[in-house]
Amino acid sequence: MLLLVAVLALSPTPAHAQREPFRDPDLPLAVRIDDLAGRLTPDEKISLLHQYQPAIPRLGLGAFRTGTEALHGVAWLGEATVFPQAVGLATTWDPDLVERVGAVTGREARGFHARDPAANGLNLWAPVVNPLRDPRWGRNEEGYSEDPLLTGRISTAYGHGIRGDHPTYLQAAPTLKHYLAYNVERDRATVSSVVPPRILHDYDEAAFKHAIAANAATGVMASYNLVNGRPAHVNPDLDEVVRGWTDQDLLIVGDASGAANLVGAQRYFATQAEANAAAVEAGLDSFTENGPDSAPTVAALNTALARGLLDQSEVDEAVRHVLSLRFRLGEFDPPGRNPYAGITPEVINAPEHRALARRAAAEQVVLLRNDGNALPLSAESTKKVAVIGQLADTLYEDWYSGTMPYRVTPKQGIAERAAVSSSEGVDRIALKELASGNYVAASTSDTGAVLTADAPAPGERTGLDVFDWGEGTVTLRTAANGRTVSLDQNRNLVNDAAQPHGWFVQQQFELVAQPDGAYVLEYAGNDVDEPWFGPDKYVVVGADGGLSLGAATPQAASKFVREVVRAGVDSAVAAAKEADVAVVVAGSMPFINGREDDDRETTALPAGQRAVIDAVRAANPRTVVVLESGYPYSGDWDTADLPAILWTSHAGQETGRALADVLFGDRDPGGRLTQTWYRSDADLPDMLQFDIAESGHTYQYFRGDPLYPFGHGLSYTSFRYSRLRLDRHAVGADGEVRVEVDVTNTGGRAGVEVVQLYSRQERSRVRQPVKQLRAFEKVRLGPGETRTVRFTLRAADLAFWDVTRDKPVVETASHELVVGPLTRELAVRGERIPPRDLGRSTPAQNFDDYSGVTLVDTTRERGTAVAATAPGQWIAFRDADLGRGARSISLRVANPDEPTRVQVRLGGPDGRRVGVVDVPTTGDQYAWTTVSAPLRGAAGRQDVHLVFEGRARIDTFTVEEQ
């Protein structure tokens, strides 16, 4: 026996026995997670459910933080490569390029992590995949497209780039934002996005499903809003639907203070313990609350456990999701195993990353119009270019932008190609206080100081450059030091800001004309509407001459004479007249013209900027307009007398060189619009109308005449489409068809075309889109070159959500397939949706049509019901088979208000009444009861309408036949 022991002692020990099993990379991941989870105490497990996870020294675990912003490059951590805004990346229609951008972003995230692992996390909160339903959304710049397929393709590419291509390890961990139906900033924590089932499944969910099903995302963030009456942070779909789209683990995270809103603004739960328990039960794994202070979250979760609101098994499951991500990031593996662990900070803004930023910025430029081949510019004949406009010689970062390590402005980029004259086209004014006769003056110090009305005459210190951002909002840049006027903590006006910035953008003002011809200065920062701000938003001149906020009304404010020192239009015209070509760069300021927590009121270009464009065009027939923004513009751009119009997003550090590359023809403009450009704001519905089929917007349902349609974009060459052909003209529901088309470059130069395949279902039980994108490919063709572009279209991709049976369905129908100007018919042999069977329990939310009603939560945990808010509202159920006669109807109702009734009518809301159901008061919106009533004369196939006589809720209903 002693000999045997000695032999065993000398025998080689298996590698995984030399360390804790969770540190053995050769063991299955599930085994490693089980081992580490089993070593954690209950308190340690709870600590891992907060954004800032503490170190656990006894196990050798370091601190871990979720939530590094990386929307178009790594943000908020210091200088990093800044790519075009997300909407610009999508406008490339180039998934391969976007994947490369994602790869650089993930690599630089690793570089920052190597610099400071505890502070710079590898769980990246990007991309944003909410469809860009309404261009007035303040966060439009963060998303990709109004189309879920294009959104899915681009987000999949970006996510794959971030995570890397290793089969085991993650370079970084992309997290999709924000689940679900989130497109409104005003009152965003209390807005309920009312989304009927078909739009929910086919539009909003579809945008998220693509990247998750392709394993291009490792997590999802819950959104601030409510969806059909239930806060997204306690939406059971997080666990029951989203996790069902993949066989890989997902980390579900909360948005900042999202769980606190459950008790706060949303008042959905009475205590934070109840709220946090419900969130974990719904699938949330990580709480983003109170910054780095995890104590309130930990306390609430412990209370929930103690009160039996939450089971330890549910905590354990959330911990497994957290640990799974950390394992895949290679945190617990020995050196040398994780191929991404050796990435160092030297990769940040590497030369090849700068080159990619320039290429991406050029590829996303969209040529909207090009009359008479005004573009590209000839380097030989274009000797002098006037670069004009508010954005001509500046680059702006947005809220989620990284810090640009350098900035090549449009003026600088064009100056590398030609001689340049320039004008910002803004008025320089002086403000003379009426009471004292003194002029407002500013400090010449780089750090600025309080503005004072103490200059007896205009001079170097009194000039104020007025930048017009629309809706009356301006920023004031002082000539004294080139800094923008801002509000300091004592509410004094100081010239210390390099650019408008901050959560509350305190560089916004309005010059308000008074009846006597004078002006008052009104502060218009984002914080002015906060309840704590107070009434004083008008500027007064104090006894010491300093300017500060001190008046609640214009009448009590100091009055000023506005003297124009130099007219912006005049200086712009002067620059344009002496140039061969004028390039006017107009557009938005990302911190002012809408962003997180701030929707736009209009999509029109500010009047002051438009006046400069018109004046420059009158002065120089060769005028090119560059619109630089994170959203579409409305207006008369198609009829304006302008030879050429380009659009670009705020495209990052290489904007100027990229723009010059396109203007001078080094690159063909390869961008295509990812949103409809409407002619006016009047074409848009109420921002709270999430049912795009009902309201008729986005390109899928808009039947008006757009300014520029989804997918639009011109090239410097021309293309001919020919021989659109299908390998079959009929296909079954489980089949597929190969679509081929020949594309020829008929021009004299190389060019880029985005070949887009659309379909239109010609007959259907439901309202179908006008057209819907099914596939696309970006091709580059030399002069005279022809290429055959091939798509594979699955019949299953033509499915839509059938509310009559709660499942996707491929209908038997003819589909028109469209590629460029060519069309072909495809017969799809699917199924015909049978008549509704109302004899089984029918969810009221599965209506076919409606008027006025809203969708609400059946209980706090799950379910969606229909609620009427006023008499006369109704829901309709088309083509219901009532057989030889329906005897009665039963409704599951809740009614916290006065007793009311629901009428049952056939054929329409004013059709023949066949029954009336009395709905009693149930005392609470979640107190459900079943009520019944007889039906008379209800037989055959009918459109059944339930018409509300008052406020009530219906969850389900059943019709019983005779």
Side-chain angles (χ1 to χ4, degrees), residues 531-803:
W532 44 260
F533 189 84
D536 292 344
K537 61 178 181 178
Y538 292 93
V539 172
V540 298
V541 177
D544 60 354
L547 273 63
S548 64
L549 301 188
T553 65
Q555 292 75 22
S558 296
K559 289 187 176 182
F560 301 93
V561 175
R562 182 184 187 273
E563 297 180 359
V564 178
V565 178
R566 184 184 65 224
V569 166
D570 292 345
S571 64
V573 166
K577 282 182 175 179
E578 63 183 37
D580 299 318
V581 176
V583 177
V584 183
V585 188
S588 70
M589 200 290 146
F591 277 83
I592 293 176
N593 296 115
R595 43 146 264 209
E596 182 173 357
D597 206 39
D598 185 15
D599 290 319
R600 276 173 286 282
E601 296 294 329
T602 181
T603 56
L605 189 73
Q609 295 194 51
R610 182 57 191 270
V612 170
I613 291 172
D614 292 341
V616 169
R617 172 63 184 88
N620 189 330
R622 296 191 67 195
T623 294
V624 176
V625 172
V626 177
L627 299 174
E628 185 175 347
S629 71
Y631 57 92
Y633 279 115
S634 58
D636 62 348
W637 301 104
D638 61 335
T639 58
D641 185 19
L642 294 166
I645 304 174
L646 296 165
W647 175 87
T648 173
S649 72
H650 294 277
Q653 62 203 48
E654 288 283 353
T655 297
R657 290 195 182 101
L659 184 59
D661 288 344
V662 174
L663 287 172
F664 284 90
D666 293 350
R667 286 194 179 274
D668 196 49
R672 301 295 184 266
L673 297 180
T674 67
Q675 290 179 269
T676 301
W677 283 43
Y678 298 96
R679 292 188 172 274
S680 78
D681 296 330
D683 287 332
L684 293 166
D686 187 301
M687 278 199 74
L688 297 182
Q689 174 56 279
F690 282 76
D691 185 352
I692 59 173
E694 180 71 15
S695 66
H697 68 293
T698 78
Y699 84 94
Q700 290 191 14
Y701 293 97
F702 185 62
R703 295 185 177 274
D705 179 25
L707 176 63
Y708 297 114
F710 173 87
H712 172 74
L714 305 176
S715 167
Y716 289 152
T717 187
S718 56
F719 299 96
R720 181 181 68 244
Y721 287 75
S722 61
R723 300 184 64 233
L724 177 60
R725 52 207 183 270
L726 314 181
D727 70 338
R728 63 198 66 194
H729 296 281
V731 65
D734 58 351
E736 60 185 33
V737 58
R738 188 170 66 184
V739 181
E740 296 184 352
V741 65
D742 293 343
V743 183
T744 302
N745 181 347
T746 57
R749 57 183 297 135
V752 176
E753 176 69 323
V754 179
V755 184
Q756 304 165 40
L757 170 64
Y758 295 88
S759 74
R760 180 178 69 86
Q761 184 169 332
E762 296 181 346
R763 294 184 61 185
S764 178
R765 185 188 182 282
V766 304
R767 181 189 291 119
Q768 287 286 346
V770 176
K771 64 176 183 177
Q772 189 164 352
L773 182 69
R774 298 301 182 184
F776 63 89
E777 183 176 339
K778 193 168 189 175
V779 295
R780 304 173 191 276
L781 301 176
E785 182 181 358
T786 297
R787 184 175 305 174
T788 298
V789 178
R790 297 178 174 86
F791 301 114
T792 297
L793 177 64
R794 301 186 313 142
D797 294 335
L798 304 175
F800 62 89
W801 190 260
D802 174 22
V803 295

Side-chain angles (χ1 to χ4, degrees), residues 313-330:
S313 62
E314 293 168 319
V315 171
D316 291 348
E317 185 62 24
V319 167
R320 288 182 61 85
H321 298 311
V322 172
L323 294 178
S324 174
L325 188 73
R326 294 177 65 168
F327 270 107
R328 286 181 287 160
L329 287 167

Side-chain angles (χ1 to χ4, degrees), residues 342-363:
I343 295 175
T344 67
E346 281 66 36
V347 304
I348 299 170
N349 196 41
E352 62 270 25
H353 297 180
R354 297 195 292 270
L356 183 62
R358 180 174 180 172
R359 179 185 169 188
E363 291 283 347

Side-chain angles (χ1 to χ4, degrees), residues 845-909:
Q845 68 159 330
N846 283 348
F847 48 70
D848 292 298
D849 200 1
Y850 63 102
S851 176
V853 299
T854 189
L855 295 175
V856 296
D857 49 338
T858 305
T859 69
R860 285 188 175 88
E861 293 75 31
R862 62 185 61 252
T864 300
V866 173
T869 58
Q873 296 175 351
W874 52 266
I875 51 179
F877 301 83
R878 307 289 189 200
D879 191 27
D881 188 354
L882 302 180
R884 291 182 295 176
R887 180 176 62 191
S888 63
I889 186 170
S890 298
L891 309 178
R892 187 169 185 257
V893 297
N895 178 20
D897 298 315
E898 297 295 320
T900 184
R901 302 193 308 173
V902 174
Q903 301 177 15
V904 184
R905 293 181 177 270
L906 303 182

Side-chain angles (χ1 to χ4, degrees), residues 219-249:
V220 169
M221 174 187 284
S223 56
Y224 281 120
N225 56 298
L226 297 85
V227 180
N228 295 335
R230 182 178 295 104
H233 277 64
V234 291
N235 185 348
D237 288 355
L238 293 170
D239 193 52
E240 298 171 4
V241 174
V242 175
R243 284 195 164 107
W245 294 334
T246 177
D247 59 359
Q248 293 193 2
D249 221 343

